[in-house]
């Protein structure tokens, strides 16, 4: 599950613009330039951040919702900074710029500098329920704190900046409420491993920052290694495997639009690049050394992965705040998480499969009833018990989140009538022969179409026709039998004709 986070009570908009220089719409009309001067004013912003951090006793901040520039978009009014401005800021390189990464106040100020200069990288810098720094467009900065920070406010004014108390930062995170977010926990990885055998799920997209992803081609042997190397809190998407028929894949390119091309190069690494119709003619040359490739649409309504999830923290809680777009798999997972063993559900029979499994729609998901769970009583075919389109109620026996299966029982809602027959052990009745088998005959001991049947073994048929019952007994015959045993657990009723012969005129079956 995802944790909720509170709103800070003290929020200040800090800017180099005098509030008096605004029109009736709140737009700045003064002489200040809206781009960073990379000098004195920038230094004042950074000192203001440090003053508020000191007032709040903050020593480390967390990177939240990191963004990197889209490759085909130009950010800011000045040339982009090398490495989106992140070069040298993280010991492990730009991959260290991920959600939840903790940085010192000094590194946080370096990140603020990057954002003030429109270097390309952007993030929220926060300490949960304590402190936040958000850098907005046009050199506006928003600082939130759990304390009033009077000293920092005075210091900010002394630096020539204008701090204004406001209700909230316009850059506060706002959840889109797209529904439950699936964690990439052990259950998810087990499901993925199972899916790799049952389908073509083989390519993992690891989005560690907005607009930035790494790609991995999965095998049963490398899946654990790939998992161990993923960036914390990454958003994951699972796609079908790459195709070695590159010409066939290129033939699927649309007449126009924006796509992402993902391919495996001669070095074995997975690469990706975006392209539109102006670039399509160049793709064959770019893929000349590729061994496999796939094409994905860049449009959200057409870009639907097989599986999607977000890496949780080590305690199992999903703290990354980006949302997963609803997918059929995510919706199935969310629905299955609401089901519990022993729960009674109502659904409509959708089909009776050739392998004699009944499928039931229980709210958009097809659950199944195996034949033994249809009825306590004997029947020849599932259609003797249920019909397609029939509405039924059943008990949930099992919810398998790995294989996405729900097993139901129709008979669990009814009392087993067989134990009620235990009092008839030792009675002699006249029953109807229903089946002839090499080892004996079956006789119905209840006068109803789905009445229980018992076995009269050849040894209990009598001396005259013990070895070949079909020569002396026929289906439909009335046969005197004695009830020797009733075993509800094994669903067995043992009968004897030989022991009933002296009492052949006893009462007929009930």
């Amino acid at each position: 599950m995802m944790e909720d986070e509170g709103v800070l009570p003290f929020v200040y908009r800090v800017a180099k613009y005098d509030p008096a220089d605004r029109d009736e719409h709140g737009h700045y009309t003064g002489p200040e330039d809206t781009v960073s001067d990379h000098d004195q004013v920038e230094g004042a912003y950074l000192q203001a951040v440090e003053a508020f951090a000191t007032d709040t006793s903050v020593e480390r901040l967390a990177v939240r919702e990191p963004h990197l520039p889209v490759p085909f978009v130009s950010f800011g009014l000045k040339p982009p900074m090398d490495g989106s401005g992140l070069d040298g800021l993280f010991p492990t390189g730009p991959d260290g710029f991920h959600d939840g990464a903790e940085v010192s106040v000094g590194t946080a100020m370096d990140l603020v500098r990057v954002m003030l200069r429109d270097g390309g990288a952007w993030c929220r810098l926060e300490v949960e329920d304590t402190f936040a720094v958000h850098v907005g467009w046009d050199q506006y900065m928003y600082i939130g704190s759990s304390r009033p920070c009077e000293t920092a406010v005075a210091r900010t004014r002394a630096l020539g900046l204008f701090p204004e108390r406001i209700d909230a930062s316009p850059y506060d995170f706002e959840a889109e409420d797209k529904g439950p977010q699936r964690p990439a926990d052990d259950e998810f990885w087990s499901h993925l491993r199972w899916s790799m055998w049952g389908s073509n799920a083989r390519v993992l997209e690891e989005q560690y920052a907005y607009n930035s992803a790494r790609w991995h081609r999965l095998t049963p042997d490398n899946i654990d290694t790939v998992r161990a190397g993923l960036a914390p809190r990454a958003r994951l998407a699972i796609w079908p495997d790459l195709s070695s028929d590159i010409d066939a894949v290129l033939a699927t390119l649309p007449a126009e639009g924006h796509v992402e091309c993902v391919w495996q190069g001669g070095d074995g690494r997975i690469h990706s690049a975006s392209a539109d119709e102006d670039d399509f003619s160049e793709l064959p040359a770019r893929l000349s050394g590729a061994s496999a490739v796939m094409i994905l649409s860049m449009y959200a309504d057409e870009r639907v992965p097989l599986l999607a999830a977000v890496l949780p923290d080590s305690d199992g809680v999903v703290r990354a705040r980006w949302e997963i777009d609803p997918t059929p798999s995510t919706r199935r997972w969310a629905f299955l998480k609401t089901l519990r063993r022993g729960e009674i559900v109502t659904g409509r029979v959708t089909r009776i499969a050739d392998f004699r499994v009944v499928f039931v729609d229980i709210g958009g998901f097809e659950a199944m009833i195996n034949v033994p769970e249809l009825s306590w009583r004997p029947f020849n075919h599932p259609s003797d018990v249920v019909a397609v389109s029939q509405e039924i109620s059943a008990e949930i026996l099992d919810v398998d989140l790995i294989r996405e299966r729900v097993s139901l029982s129709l008979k669990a809602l009814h009392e087993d009538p067989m134990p009620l027959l235990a009092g008839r052990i030792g009675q002699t009745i006249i029953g109807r022969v229903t089946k002839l088998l090499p080892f004996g005959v079956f006789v119905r001991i209840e006068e109803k179409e789905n009445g229980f049947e018992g076995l009269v073994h050849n040894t209990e048929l009598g001396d005259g026709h013990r070895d070949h019952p079909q020569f002396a007994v026929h289906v439909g015959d009335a046969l005197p039998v004695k009830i020797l045993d009733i075993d509800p657990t094994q669903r067995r009723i043992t009968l004897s004709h030989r022991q009933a012969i002296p009492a052949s005129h006893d009462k007929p079956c009930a």
Side-chain angles (χ1 to χ4, degrees), residues 180-185 187-189 191-192 195 201 203-207 234-239 303-312 318 322-334 404:
Q181 301 299 288
R182 184 171 192 177
D185 52 12
E187 184 182 90
F188 170 84
W189 290 97
H191 178 58
L192 172 56
S195 298
V203 177
L204 185 152
E205 178 186 10
E206 172 201 0
Q207 190 174 0
R235 178 165 56 178
L236 310 181
I238 307 298
W239 301 96
R303 190 182 176 96
V304 182
L306 301 174
L307 300 172
V310 177
L311 279 177
V318 174
W322 48 13
E323 304 282 350
I324 301 173
D325 291 324
T327 67
S329 175
T330 304
R331 284 190 286 266
R332 287 195 300 272
W333 168 83
E404 294 186 340

Side-chain angles (χ1 to χ4, degrees), residues 16-280:
K16 59 185 178 180
Y17 315 114
D18 190 331
D21 295 328
R22 293 188 187 144
D23 61 21
E24 65 275 15
H25 303 293
H27 300 149
Y28 177 68
T29 59
E32 293 284 349
D33 197 341
T34 59
V35 298
S36 174
D37 67 351
H38 292 209
D39 195 7
Q40 183 175 351
V41 176
E42 178 181 272
Y45 275 110
L46 300 180
Q47 291 179 64
V49 172
E50 185 175 25
F52 275 94
T54 300
D55 247 15
T56 318
S57 301
V58 166
E59 296 181 354
R60 298 187 68 79
L61 295 89
V63 171
R64 302 307 312 265
E65 294 77 57
H67 288 62
L68 289 171
V70 180
F72 48 84
V73 174
S74 175
F75 277 73
L77 301 178
K78 293 184 178 294
M81 302 171 71
D82 292 341
S84 299
L86 300 178
D87 286 355
L89 292 187
F90 295 90
T92 60
D95 290 352
F97 185 59
H98 60 76
D99 190 83
E102 287 197 355
V103 298
S104 65
V105 172
T107 301
M109 288 195 295
D110 287 335
L111 288 171
V112 170
R113 179 186 290 111
V114 169
M115 291 184 274
L116 288 170
R117 294 186 181 187
D118 293 324
W122 187 88
C123 67
R124 296 177 176 89
L125 292 164
E126 300 180 354
V127 177
E128 185 178 349
D129 299 327
T130 303
F131 189 69
V133 179
H134 304 154
V135 177
W137 292 107
D138 297 338
Q139 306 294 292
Y140 282 98
M141 186 162 61
Y142 302 86
I143 302 178
S145 175
S146 58
R147 305 176 186 177
C149 298
E150 291 94 342
T151 302
V153 171
R155 173 63 176 155
T156 301
R157 289 196 180 98
L159 289 166
L161 302 176
F162 297 91
E164 298 175 80
R165 177 82 182 273
I166 58 177
D167 292 334
S169 166
Y171 291 90
D172 281 338
F173 176 78
E174 294 183 7
E176 298 179 27
D177 193 22
K178 292 185 177 180
Q181 301 299 288
R182 184 171 192 177
D185 52 12
D186 290 342
E187 184 182 90
F188 170 84
W189 290 97
S190 295
H191 178 58
L192 172 56
R193 191 180 291 276
W194 178 81
S195 298
M196 290 172 64
W197 292 108
S199 68
N200 199 28
R202 286 299 176 108
V203 177
L204 185 152
E205 178 186 10
E206 172 201 0
Q207 190 174 0
Y208 60 91
Y210 284 92
N211 307 322
S212 297
R214 296 185 295 192
W215 294 83
H216 311 271
R217 197 175 188 185
L218 301 176
T219 68
D221 294 331
N222 75 359
I223 185 171
D224 290 332
T225 302
V226 170
R227 179 184 180 183
L230 297 174
R233 301 187 181 181
R235 178 165 56 178
L236 310 181
I238 307 298
W239 301 96
D241 198 9
L242 307 179
S243 171
S244 58
D245 192 341
I246 296 176
D247 290 339
V249 173
L250 291 176
T252 66
L253 285 169
E256 59 181 15
H258 206 102
V259 302
E260 183 170 15
C261 182
V262 182
W263 71 95
Q264 187 167 26
D267 57 0
R269 298 176 59 189
I270 308 298
H271 308 268
S272 71
S274 60
D276 59 22
E277 59 272 13
D278 295 332
D279 307 313
F280 289 169

Side-chain angles (χ1 to χ4, degrees), residues 5 118 126 213 432 465:
E5 298 184 40
D118 293 324
E126 300 180 354
R432 296 288 175 181
H465 39 265

Side-chain angles (χ1 to χ4, degrees), residues 288-364:
S288 59
S291 59
V293 66
M294 72 173 172
I295 300 292
L296 296 175
S297 173
M298 294 290 283
Y299 301 109
D301 58 342
E302 299 174 358
R303 190 182 176 96
V304 182
L306 301 174
L307 300 172
V310 177
L311 279 177
D313 289 355
S314 58
D315 59 2
V317 177
V318 174
R319 292 186 175 85
R321 295 183 295 207
W322 48 13
E323 304 282 350
I324 301 173
D325 291 324
T327 67
S329 175
T330 304
R331 284 190 286 266
R332 287 195 300 272
W333 168 83
F335 177 72
L336 293 179
K337 294 292 283 186
T338 67
L339 303 179
R340 298 291 182 270
R341 291 182 182 180
E343 180 183 355
I344 308 302
V345 293
T346 300
R348 194 171 297 278
V349 177
T350 56
R351 55 195 174 109
I352 300 174
D354 293 339
F355 47 94
R356 292 195 168 189
V357 174
V358 173
F359 289 92
V360 182
D361 186 327
I362 56 170

